[in-house]
């Protein structure tokens, strides 16, 4: 991601005061005047420049492809005026909508059915043992547990189903068995790789139509704001992959790179372009002319002017506060001197200096208007990454497409968080973690599974009764009048053998009562 620091600028230095009219400006003006009538033509009014011949016209700076004919006076932005509208298009979403309801506007029933169909198909193709077809309810429970794993971190997947009282998290075992979860994770698939019509030239073909469908839902759900942010993002991945990128400035360094288009005001993800090297395609470029763009640019980029002294031919440098502008009519390039040189390129903001407000009077300074807009709108991708990274569902795997799919699901949750916070500011104040827990609760409550208790931790059959009428330990006697004894249930689970004579008749389990916190108390507090 391009990062830049802007500071003080006191004056504009104009190194090219003698400017001339480009031929295309003069011709356009003359054509307009002739349409109005020859009597209205005023030769001295042609942009208040002296008439020049084509032979005399030489660009101030010339490169291969772009002729920087002059400074900011030659810049004529043509971006359309922004018309503000309601942010959320969907009339069914409002402040009463639950997190689960909003999430299903992105992960629609058609998308879920496609994932389930491809997963069941792949399980049959690979002959996964004891496979039973995945249902819609099972998928949502599987997805909810993956979200919860991002909140509750453990070293291995098996630890989430551990019965060890020190690390046990019983909500996982109560929702789905460990073996079924691992079985679904193994079979999870998004496209039929045996389909002869599958377009394998697309390097993301293993995601099938899931990626395009979700991105279409992102774009159709809202009306974007005035400013959009385009920035790169690197999903960590160190496996062998042709499209894997290396970026020493990123925390993960190795990964799959994507470009995110986001709404700057609401920090909402509008579109994602996965980077595929030279084969990366941008289907629609009309937005560049229609809406305009702006941002920082390196001085060594192709088609950039050569900032050399005309006499010595050596590269020139700007002192702090100095500024140069270049334009070809459609593009405006601002070269601004600060602690280091800053290059700003845009198509919709005219060059002007504006005062930058600061609480410290000593820091009052003037900056180019493009810089102020850039500082105000940048950082959407970094903000998204800072929110979701502590609770991501990503785990180490050789299946890169599976990891990218889970990353895409994280972004769906993030977008639903943005929408929910738009209607209810308290959700944003409570934080992303509280939102995830509320989402998981809704998903598990609406998709409860009926399953066998074989192999699971014992549960008190009269749990509701135990709350109002406490259970008491009692002894049982055999036919000879002696006390019966058996192994304590909790001690056995902790791989300890301890005989006890105390029995809970309501729960039908043997539990010892020795120690400060007895097994009888532990069992009935669950």
């Amino acid at each position: 991601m391009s990062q830049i620091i802007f500071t003080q600028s006191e004056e504009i230095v104009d190194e090219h005061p003698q400017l001339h009219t480009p031929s295309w400006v003069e011709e356009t003006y003359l054509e307009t005047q002739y349409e109005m009538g020859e009597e209205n033509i005023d030769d001295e009014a042609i942009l208040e420049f002296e008439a020049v011949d084509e032979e005399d016209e030489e660009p101030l700076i010339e490169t291969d492809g772009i002729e920087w004919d002059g400074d900011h006076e030659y810049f004529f932005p043509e971006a359309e005026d922004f018309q503000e509208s309601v942010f959320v298009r969907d009339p069914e979403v409002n402040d009463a909508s639950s997190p689960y309801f909003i999430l299903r506007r992105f992960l629609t029933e058609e998308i879920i059915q496609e994932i389930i169909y491809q997963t069941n198909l792949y399980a049959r193709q690979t002959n996964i043992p004891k496979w039973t077809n995945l249902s819609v309810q099972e998928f949502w429970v599987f997805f909810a547990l993956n979200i919860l794993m991002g909140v509750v971190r453990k070293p291995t997947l098996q630890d989430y189903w551990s019965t060890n009282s020190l690390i046990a998290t019983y909500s996982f075992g109560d929702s789905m068995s460990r073996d079924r979860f691992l079985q679904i994770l193994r079979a999870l698939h998004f496209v039929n790789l045996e389909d002869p019509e599958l377009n394998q030239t697309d390097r993301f073909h293993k995601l099938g139509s899931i990626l395009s469908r979700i991105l279409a839902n992102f774009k159709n759900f809202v009306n974007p704001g005035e400013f959009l942010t385009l920035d790169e993002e690197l999903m960590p991945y160190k496996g062998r992959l042709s499209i894997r990128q290396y970026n020493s400035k990123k925390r993960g360094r190795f990964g799959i790179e994507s470009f995110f288009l986001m709404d700057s005001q609401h920090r909402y993800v509008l579109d994602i372009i996965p980077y595929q090297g030279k084969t990366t395609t941008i289907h629609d470029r009309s937005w560049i002319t229609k809406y305009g763009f702006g941002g920082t640019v390196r001085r060594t980029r192709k088609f950039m002017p050569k900032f050399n002294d005309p006499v010595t031919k050596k590269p020139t440098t700007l002192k702090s506060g100095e500024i140069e502008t270049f334009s070809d009519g459609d593009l405006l390039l601002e070269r601004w001197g600060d602690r280091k040189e800053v290059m700003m390129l845009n198509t919709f903001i005219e060059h002007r200096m504006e005062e930058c407000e600061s609480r410290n009077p000593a820091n009052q300074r003037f900056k180019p208007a493009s810089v102020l807009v850039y500082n105000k709108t940048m950082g959407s991708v970094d903000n998204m990454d800072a929110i979701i990274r502590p609770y991501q569902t990503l785990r180490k795997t050789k299946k890169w497409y599976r990891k990218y799919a889970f990353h895409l699901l994280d972004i769906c949750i993030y977008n639903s968080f943005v929408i929910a916070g738009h209607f209810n500011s308290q959700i944003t104040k409570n934080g992303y973690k509280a939102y995830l827990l509320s989402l998981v609760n809704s998903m598990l409550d609406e998709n409860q599974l009926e399953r066998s208790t074989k192999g699971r931790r014992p549960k008190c059959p009269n749990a509701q009764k135990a709350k109002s009428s406490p259970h008491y330990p009692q002894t049982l006697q055999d036919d000879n009048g002696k006390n019966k004894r058996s192994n304590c249930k909790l001690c056995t689970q902790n791989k300890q053998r301890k005989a006890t004579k105390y029995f809970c008749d309501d729960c039908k389990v043997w539990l010892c009562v020795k120690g400060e916190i007895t097994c009888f108390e532990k069992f009935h507090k669950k």
Side-chain angles (χ1 to χ4, degrees):
M1 182 189 65
S2 301
Q3 295 181 348
I4 202 159
I5 300 175
F6 296 87
T7 54
Q8 185 175 5
S9 175
E10 298 179 353
E11 61 179 343
I12 301 176
V13 178
D14 189 355
E15 297 184 358
H16 307 289
Q18 301 298 325
L19 302 177
H20 55 274
T21 311
S23 59
W24 63 270
V25 174
E26 193 174 77
E27 291 172 359
T28 303
Y29 183 84
L30 289 173
E31 289 175 1
T32 304
Q33 293 294 327
Y34 277 114
E35 291 176 0
M36 298 173 59
E38 296 184 359
E39 64 278 7
N40 295 326
I41 300 177
D42 185 1
D43 294 336
E44 295 181 357
I46 302 179
L47 296 181
E48 298 182 358
F49 291 102
E50 296 180 3
V52 294
D53 298 330
E54 293 292 333
E55 297 179 355
D56 299 329
E57 190 170 323
E58 294 181 0
L60 296 178
I61 297 181
E62 185 175 351
T63 60
D64 297 333
I66 299 179
E67 292 185 355
W68 303 95
D69 291 309
D71 61 7
H72 59 275
E73 295 184 1
Y74 285 83
F75 179 55
F76 304 96
E78 297 181 355
E80 297 180 359
D81 294 335
F82 176 72
Q83 296 180 356
E84 190 171 357
S85 57
V86 179
F87 178 56
V88 178
R89 293 180 182 175
D90 195 333
E92 297 184 10
V93 178
N94 50 49
D95 54 355
S97 301
S98 67
Y100 184 38
F101 178 80
I102 299 175
L103 179 61
R104 283 181 294 175
R105 312 307 284 183
F106 303 129
L107 297 176
T108 59
E109 183 179 354
E110 293 77 12
I111 294 177
I112 301 303
Q113 290 290 352
E114 178 67 14
I115 296 176
I116 292 174
Y117 173 78
Q118 295 297 343
T119 299
N120 290 329
L121 177 62
Y122 181 75
R124 293 193 296 269
Q125 290 174 343
T126 55
N127 296 321
I128 295 180
K130 300 180 180 180
W131 173 261
T132 57
N133 282 340
L134 179 65
S135 65
V136 175
Q137 286 184 322
E138 273 189 313
F139 174 82
W140 282 114
V141 172
F142 170 80
F143 186 23
L145 295 183
N146 272 283
I147 298 173
L148 192 57
M149 287 177 181
V151 180
V152 183
R153 295 286 184 176
K154 294 188 180 183
T156 65
L157 288 175
Q158 288 75 11
D159 287 341
Y160 290 99
W161 283 266
S162 173
T163 57
N164 188 325
S165 59
L166 296 176
I167 63 172
T169 309
Y170 294 114
S171 56
F172 288 89
D174 293 341
S175 303
M176 179 178 285
S177 69
R178 178 198 61 194
D179 292 346
R180 180 57 174 170
F181 181 90
L182 296 177
Q183 193 181 46
I184 296 174
L185 185 62
R186 175 184 174 184
L188 190 63
H189 234 64
F190 309 99
V191 69
N192 180 15
L193 297 179
E194 297 181 2
D195 185 0
E197 298 181 359
L198 181 64
N199 179 20
Q200 299 191 10
T201 57
D202 182 3
R203 298 186 179 184
F204 280 76
H205 67 273
K206 289 189 177 181
L207 292 174
S209 62
I210 305 303
L211 176 60
S212 59
R213 289 184 182 184
I214 292 177
L215 296 182
N217 292 337
F218 285 173
K219 289 181 284 188
N220 296 331
F221 193 77
V222 300
N223 293 309
E226 182 176 6
F227 295 103
L228 308 181
T229 299
L230 181 64
D231 205 348
E232 65 178 355
E233 189 251 12
L234 194 71
M235 187 201 75
Y237 184 77
K238 291 187 176 181
R240 297 181 62 182
L241 187 64
S242 61
I243 57 176
R244 187 189 67 177
Q245 300 295 308
Y246 172 78
N247 190 334
S248 60
K249 297 181 181 179
K250 298 292 184 180
R251 183 179 179 182
R253 296 184 298 160
F254 296 94
I256 301 174
E257 187 175 31
S258 301
F259 293 92
F260 279 63
L261 182 67
M262 301 185 64
D263 182 284
S264 298
Q265 179 182 355
H266 299 94
R267 310 295 175 119
Y268 175 90
V269 179
L270 293 166
D271 200 1
I272 303 174
I273 303 177
Y275 181 69
Q276 305 182 42
K278 294 182 179 180
T279 60
T280 305
T281 56
I282 301 177
H283 300 286
D284 184 11
R285 300 174 183 265
S286 61
W287 60 270
I288 298 177
T289 304
K290 184 176 181 181
Y291 301 108
F293 73 93
T296 57
V297 61
R298 295 194 304 269
R299 64 179 295 168
T300 56
R301 292 287 294 182
K302 190 176 181 180
F303 302 134
M304 288 289 287
K306 307 298 182 183
F307 305 105
N308 297 331
D309 186 272
V311 178
T312 62
K313 304 300 182 181
K314 294 182 179 180
T316 59
T317 57
L318 295 181
K319 297 180 181 179
S320 178
E322 294 182 342
I323 189 167
E324 285 183 337
T325 59
F326 306 91
S327 176
D328 71 338
D330 297 325
L331 296 173
L332 175 64
L333 173 64
E334 296 171 295
R335 181 190 181 200
W336 185 41
D338 193 41
R339 295 190 183 99
K340 57 182 181 180
E341 284 191 5
V342 173
M343 300 287 179
M344 226 43 205
L345 189 68
N346 86 90
T347 65
F348 65 97
I349 303 177
E350 295 180 347
H351 172 70
R352 61 181 182 274
M353 304 300 291
E354 295 183 358
E355 186 175 5
C356 178
E357 297 182 359
S358 176
R359 295 180 181 179
N360 185 357
N363 288 336
Q364 294 290 95
R365 63 195 68 187
F366 287 87
K367 296 182 179 180
S370 58
V371 173
L372 297 179
V373 172
Y374 179 78
N375 289 343
K376 181 180 179 181
T377 58
M378 66 181 289
S380 297
V381 176
D382 293 336
N383 178 78
M384 177 202 69
D385 189 61
I387 290 176
I388 69 174
R389 183 172 291 275
Y391 310 106
Q392 281 182 316
T393 60
L394 303 182
R395 282 190 170 272
K396 187 176 181 180
T397 175
K398 294 181 179 179
K399 307 290 186 181
W400 69 268
Y401 58 89
R402 181 186 301 164
K403 190 171 185 178
Y404 196 90
F406 279 119
H407 184 48
L408 189 61
L409 296 178
D410 282 334
I411 297 170
C412 291
I413 299 172
Y414 168 80
N415 268 357
S416 69
F417 172 69
V418 172
I419 298 300
H422 172 72
F423 288 105
N424 186 355
S425 60
Q426 188 61 40
I427 292 178
T428 305
K429 294 179 181 178
N430 293 339
Y432 192 62
K433 180 181 177 181
Y435 181 80
L436 290 178
L437 295 177
S438 175
L439 175 62
V440 171
N441 276 329
S442 299
M443 296 169 71
L444 294 179
D445 289 343
E446 296 188 28
N447 298 280
Q448 295 183 1
L449 302 177
E450 295 182 3
R451 52 165 304 211
S452 170
T453 59
K454 182 179 180 181
R456 299 170 62 212
R457 71 181 181 90
K459 297 181 69 175
C460 178
N462 299 319
Q464 296 298 329
K465 179 181 177 181
K467 294 181 180 179
S468 56
S469 57
H471 297 189
Y472 295 98
Q474 55 181 303
T475 58
L476 301 179
Q477 295 180 343
D478 56 17
D479 296 337
N480 298 325
K482 294 183 180 181
N483 290 332
K484 291 183 178 182
R485 300 175 67 86
S486 183
N487 292 332
C488 172
K489 188 69 175 179
L490 290 186
C491 293
T492 302
Q493 290 179 356
N494 295 329
K495 298 182 179 180
Q496 296 179 1
R497 184 176 180 181
K498 187 180 294 184
T500 181
K501 63 179 180 179
Y502 296 102
F503 181 77
C504 179
D505 189 53
D506 293 312
C507 302
K508 308 299 181 185
V509 292
W510 296 86
L511 298 165
C512 61
V513 295
K514 293 183 179 180
E516 296 182 358
I517 302 178
T518 66
C519 290
F520 194 92
E521 294 177 356
K522 290 181 182 179
F523 181 82
H524 289 89
K525 285 182 178 179
K526 295 178 181 178

